[in-house]
């Protein structure tokens, strides 16, 4: 089966393969990019076939609807099948890409939520006398979710021929988070320059927590404005228009009666 997946994936453009490889890593999927690309191609093909079949069976209904909308316009059967194939093809791609996108965003959100607590734990371990490597390794607890998994992967790679700094710098390639990338960069710079690593991590944790609180306040305010605007557009505006129309009608009736009396 893997050989079949490889053949299907290799038939796609190289740029598409590279992009899929990066996004599959960022989503934290257990399957590799080759398997994901092959499955996406198969799913897209199935969606296209279903769309073509719908175009075939709904040909009469589509022409009837189109004839009511635009009299005299009739689509050949081949056109409806072709349109069904295109729509199914696009729907398959959109579904697969949305699943991947929301996986990436969900992973990023989870990491950014627990990142301040993780940094505080690492800083506490460093103040206790641990090395940076040991502090990170001891802090990779199961409750930290995706971040703990990536930290364990990094520390495992650092036990081999790769240095801890190089291994840690690759963590941002598997988690699409600007906060995490900047935190890793600051940490590596502090380690290389011999700065106060624990204090830097604590300050970074405090800044991240404050930023998260500001984002939550902004989202809450934005949600309130959206609800208010929706209320005005859906309820208040039609109500005012109805009152205005009724008022104009009443004034017109009164003026016509006065003219008649005069």
């Amino acid at each position: 089966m893997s050989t079949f997946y490889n053949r299907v994936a290799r038939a796609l453009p190289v740029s598409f393969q590279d992009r899929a490889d990066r996004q599959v890593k960022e989503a934290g999927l257990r399957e590799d990019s080759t398997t994901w690309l092959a499955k996406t191609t198969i799913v897209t093909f199935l969606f296209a076939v279903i769309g073509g079949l719908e175009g075939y069976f709904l040909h009469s209904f589509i022409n009837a609807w189109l004839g009511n909308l635009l009299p005299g316009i009739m689509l050949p059967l081949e056109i409806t099948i072709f349109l069904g194939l295109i729509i199914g093809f696009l729907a398959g791609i959109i579904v697969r890409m949305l699943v991947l996108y929301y996986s990436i965003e969900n992973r990023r959100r989870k990491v950014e939520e627990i990142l301040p607590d993780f940094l505080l734990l690492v800083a506490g371990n460093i103040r206790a006398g641990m090395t940076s490597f040991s502090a990170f390794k001891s802090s990779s607890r199961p409750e930290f979710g995706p971040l703990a998994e990536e930290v364990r992967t990094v520390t495992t790679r650092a036990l081999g021929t790769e240095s801890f700094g190089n291994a840690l710098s690759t963590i941002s390639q598997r988690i699409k988070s600007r906060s995490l990338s900047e935190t890793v960069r600051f940490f590596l710079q502090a380690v290389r320059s011999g700065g106060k690593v624990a204090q830097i991590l604590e300050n970074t944790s405090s800044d991240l927590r404050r930023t998260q609180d500001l984002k939550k306040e902004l989202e809450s305010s934005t949600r309130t404005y959206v609800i208010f605007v929706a209320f005005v557009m859906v309820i208040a505006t039609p109500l005012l228009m109805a009152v205005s129309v009724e008022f104009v009608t009443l004034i017109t009736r009164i003026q016509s009666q006065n003219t008649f009396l005069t």
Side-chain angles (χ1 to χ4, degrees):
M1 195 67 176
S2 59
T3 305
F4 173 74
Y5 286 158
N6 290 332
R7 290 178 179 177
V8 173
R10 288 174 183 173
L12 300 174
V14 177
S15 59
F16 194 74
Q17 296 180 32
D18 295 338
R19 181 178 179 181
D21 182 65
R22 184 181 71 255
Q23 292 184 339
V24 166
K25 290 180 180 178
E26 292 173 349
L29 302 181
R30 298 186 182 275
E31 58 188 9
D32 56 8
S33 59
T34 301
T35 304
W36 185 87
L37 276 174
K39 289 183 178 180
T40 299
T41 304
I42 295 172
V43 169
T44 303
F45 175 77
L46 292 176
F47 268 77
V49 171
I50 294 173
L53 291 175
E54 289 182 352
Y56 174 79
F57 289 112
L58 297 178
H59 173 67
S60 301
F61 174 79
I62 293 174
N63 277 333
W65 173 79
L66 192 60
N68 293 330
L69 186 64
L70 299 172
I73 301 297
M74 299 290 290
L75 292 178
L77 179 61
E78 294 79 5
I79 298 298
T80 57
I81 294 176
F82 178 75
L83 291 176
L85 288 172
I86 297 299
I87 294 174
F89 177 80
L90 295 177
I93 293 179
I94 291 173
V95 168
R96 291 291 289 179
M97 294 304 295
L98 283 178
V99 171
L100 187 63
Y101 171 78
Y102 282 111
S103 297
I104 294 173
E105 288 300 308
N106 184 53
R107 184 176 168 87
R108 177 194 61 79
R109 181 180 56 80
K110 289 181 179 180
V111 169
E112 291 183 352
E113 285 180 355
I114 53 91
L115 183 58
D117 297 331
F118 177 79
L119 294 179
L120 285 179
L121 184 57
V122 174
N125 290 335
I126 292 177
R127 289 189 181 279
M130 292 185 181
T131 62
S132 300
F133 174 80
S134 300
F136 268 84
K137 186 176 181 181
S138 301
S139 302
S140 58
R141 298 179 178 179
E143 56 265 27
F144 291 133
L147 183 58
E149 295 177 2
E150 295 301 327
V151 170
R152 283 195 292 268
T153 302
V154 167
T155 53
T156 301
R157 292 172 55 187
L159 290 175
T161 58
E162 192 172 2
S163 65
F164 176 63
N166 292 335
L168 186 61
S169 62
T170 62
I171 195 172
S172 58
Q173 299 177 2
R174 298 185 59 84
I175 299 176
K176 188 179 180 180
S177 172
R178 182 177 178 181
S179 301
L180 179 62
S181 301
E182 293 180 351
T183 300
V184 171
R185 181 164 56 86
F186 291 152
F187 172 78
L188 293 177
Q189 288 179 353
V191 171
R192 295 190 186 102
S193 61
K196 298 180 180 179
V197 178
Q199 184 176 353
I200 290 176
L201 292 178
E202 290 173 351
N203 293 338
T204 303
S205 175
S206 178
D207 292 340
L208 290 175
R209 185 66 69 188
R210 188 159 48 248
T211 302
Q212 290 178 359
D213 293 338
L214 290 175
K215 284 183 178 179
K216 290 180 180 179
E217 292 179 4
L218 181 61
E219 290 176 357
S220 177
S221 301
T222 304
R223 191 179 299 111
T224 302
Y225 293 145
V226 169
I227 294 174
F228 175 74
V229 171
F231 172 79
V232 170
M233 294 180 63
V234 176
I235 299 178
T237 301
L239 181 63
L240 291 176
M241 288 293 295
V243 172
S244 300
V245 171
E246 187 66 24
F247 178 75
V248 172
T249 304
L250 180 62
I251 293 298
T252 304
R253 187 183 303 117
I254 294 175
Q255 289 179 348
S256 62
Q257 290 178 355
N258 290 336
T259 304
F260 177 75
L261 293 176
T262 302

